[in-house]
Amino acid sequence: MKKLFTLLLLLGLLGGICAQNEAPTLARASEFTIPVSPAFDLLAVNPSQILRPNNIREFKVDWSFRSWRLKPNLAIQAQPIWEIFYNRADLRPYQRTSSFLKTLSTLDFSAGTIEDDAQNRRVAMAAKINLYRERDPLSDIEVFTVDTTFNRLQQERMRMLVDLQLKRNRAEVSMRDRLRYEQQMDSIQQEYNNLDKLQKDNIQNLVVRYLRSNWNASHVDVAFGRIFSYANPKVDSLVLRGQATAFWISASKGIGRKVLLTGLFKYIMQERRNDLSAINASGNIVSMGMGLRYGGSKFNFFADVLYSQGNAQFVLSDPGLNLTQLSAMSISYGGDWRLSRNVMLSYGVRTDYTKQMQFKNIIPVANLACMMR
């Protein structure tokens, strides 16, 4: 039994040494911000209509509360390629891979559902990929360099623990010496745990400072999505009333330490169906917009303007066809508040106008994004 215990401890030593030689697990909370779901962006239930490009490194859930009713809408988002191939304690495989594969690892998928003001159930699915990022925290070797002094000290303590364990297990050792060895082992183990916690805290503080300094790093995202609108005539039935396909590009540019400019171009092809699910109307919408954010990584404020134009007058005015709930002109303002490393609260007020700039609607929106860590 003693030999087995000693063998397990030796294996633990080897595992500990290997773990110390690995890059620390720093993929957690390495996002410059927690972005909103592209599926929610398609459904127009985000506080800001100019989607801020960024990456997530985990599964994420969004809850959105649009209009005056507290009726929650739900979306989920994930990066499967990152999760399968690169979400490891050792970041070196990701850091050493090609730029193309790093870009491919940013591919994320999202799906969301809402109930609109006409009591129709709308479902959206979207895929997004990041084509350009000014700074990638996980590729920055300076940020994620392992402290060799820390490794050496921890390895020495592990060797001391093994040596004391071997001495303690000798048959000729007295009870007094055995107790003394156990006390020394407890003391060394406590030192090991304290230093390990200190190292993790130092690394996390370094990451926080890095993200705070680069929260407005520039990004470019490209996305593609589909929307389906269903009438709900009965409790257990849904009838397809319309569908849309969308393609959009969003970009951001940081200015100084506190300003971020955002831009959006979106093209939407929409179809409306009759009771027999046959297409009886179709139309396209082109949207362009710009936004301004001011603040930092903890909280920031935004204002954005979105202009939309359809190829027919009824495209924007028909609720059954305008599945993305766009208006000719929309002005939104609000802010983001990062409540913790994993939770972001976004809030805003959207005002809609006609093409002649006549006031049309005002919509308060709140969104809660939670990284599933």
Side-chain angles (χ1 to χ4, degrees):
M1 187 67 183
K2 291 181 180 179
K3 292 182 179 180
L4 177 60
F5 183 82
T6 303
L7 177 61
L8 292 175
L9 190 58
L10 288 171
L11 291 175
L13 169 62
L14 294 175
I17 293 174
C18 292
Q20 297 305 325
N21 287 330
E22 291 180 349
T25 305
L26 294 173
R28 310 300 190 207
S30 62
E31 308 88 7
F32 291 114
T33 186
I34 301 177
V36 296
S37 167
F40 267 1
D41 183 54
L42 267 182
L43 294 168
V45 291
N46 288 325
S48 171
Q49 294 214 84
I50 310 298
L51 182 66
R52 177 180 176 178
N54 213 315
N55 293 326
I56 64 168
R57 298 293 184 183
E58 272 293 350
F59 290 93
K60 182 170 69 72
V61 177
D62 288 61
W63 290 270
S64 179
F65 300 90
R66 183 179 183 272
S67 188
W68 306 104
R69 297 170 298 173
L70 291 179
K71 182 179 292 186
N73 305 301
L74 183 68
I76 57 175
Q77 184 179 2
Q79 285 185 330
I81 295 178
W82 161 264
E83 184 66 29
I84 295 171
F85 296 104
Y86 300 109
N87 190 9
R88 303 291 185 269
D90 188 355
L91 295 174
R92 285 174 295 184
Y94 174 79
Q95 293 171 344
R96 294 171 180 172
T97 194
S98 65
S99 298
F100 173 76
L101 292 178
K102 286 182 180 179
T103 298
L104 195 61
S105 73
T106 67
L107 178 66
D108 74 56
F109 297 92
S110 60
T113 178
I114 68 168
E115 186 174 274
D116 62 22
D117 297 334
Q119 309 301 311
N120 293 316
R121 175 58 59 182
R122 298 189 181 185
V123 179
M125 295 170 287
K128 177 179 69 68
I129 191 169
N130 178 247
L131 296 184
Y132 169 78
R133 50 203 172 280
E134 182 181 13
R135 303 299 296 268
D136 183 357
L138 302 185
S139 294
D140 198 323
I141 304 299
E142 294 180 359
V143 175
F144 298 103
T145 298
V146 179
D147 189 346
T148 57
T149 302
F150 166 78
N151 293 340
R152 178 176 53 80
L153 291 175
Q154 294 296 69
Q155 291 170 18
E156 289 177 357
R157 287 181 171 84
M158 290 297 294
R159 293 190 183 96
M160 293 170 63
L161 285 172
V162 173
D163 184 60
L164 289 171
Q165 180 65 35
L166 293 174
K167 292 179 180 179
R168 176 188 176 279
N169 291 339
R170 291 174 182 170
E172 66 275 11
V173 174
S174 65
M175 181 61 68
R176 180 178 178 181
D177 288 340
R178 182 173 286 113
L179 292 175
R180 179 166 57 86
Y181 290 145
E182 291 178 352
Q183 291 175 354
Q184 292 176 358
M185 291 172 62
D186 290 341
S187 177
I188 295 173
Q189 183 65 52
Q190 186 63 42
E191 292 177 1
Y192 182 95
N193 294 339
N194 291 339
L195 186 60
D196 186 65
K197 183 178 184 303
L198 179 62
Q199 175 74 351
K200 290 179 180 179
D201 291 342
N202 290 337
I203 292 173
Q204 188 58 55
N205 291 334
L206 182 63
V207 172
V208 170
R209 291 195 297 270
Y210 180 89
L211 299 182
R212 186 180 300 155
S213 300
N214 298 279
W215 76 273
N216 60 343
S218 303
H219 288 76
V220 177
D221 285 352
V222 174
F224 170 85
R226 294 272 289 165
I227 309 174
F228 301 91
S229 178
Y230 297 92
N232 190 13
K234 299 180 181 179
V235 176
D236 59 348
S237 65
L238 293 173
V239 178
L240 181 64
R241 291 301 192 190
Q243 60 186 20
T245 302
F247 169 83
W248 69 100
I249 301 174
S250 56
S252 63
K253 173 63 178 177
I255 300 178
R257 298 286 297 272
K258 293 189 175 183
V259 176
L260 181 70
L261 297 178
T262 56
L264 173 72
F265 174 84
K266 183 183 293 184
Y267 178 72
I268 305 166
M269 299 168 286
Q270 304 185 113
E271 299 174 351
R272 186 182 62 189
R273 296 175 179 270
N274 58 24
D275 293 338
L276 300 176
S277 294
I279 299 174
N280 63 1
S282 62
N284 302 330
I285 297 177
V286 175
S287 298
M288 295 173 289
M290 293 191 64
L292 173 74
R293 289 180 179 269
Y294 179 84
S297 59
K298 182 68 175 178
F299 57 85
N300 57 82
F301 303 97
F302 70 83
D304 58 52
V305 178
L306 184 70
Y307 172 77
S308 301
Q309 183 175 0
N311 62 349
Q313 183 65 32
F314 68 88
V315 173
L316 292 175
S317 59
D318 186 344
L321 186 60
N322 185 3
L323 303 185
T324 53
Q325 307 176 82
L326 292 169
S327 294
M329 179 74 71
S330 295
I331 301 175
S332 303
Y333 50 91
D336 292 337
W337 180 16
R338 192 158 185 170
L339 303 177
S340 69
R341 293 190 307 170
N342 303 327
V343 180
M344 175 78 80
L345 173 65
S346 301
Y347 54 91
V349 175
R350 168 181 166 182
T351 53
D352 292 337
Y353 301 86
T354 64
K355 191 174 183 179
Q356 292 73 31
M357 290 303 296
Q358 296 178 338
F359 179 72
K360 180 180 177 182
N361 198 7
I362 181 169
I363 306 170
V365 186
N367 183 297
L368 190 65
C370 179
M371 307 296 290
M372 304 304 291
R373 298 189 173 105

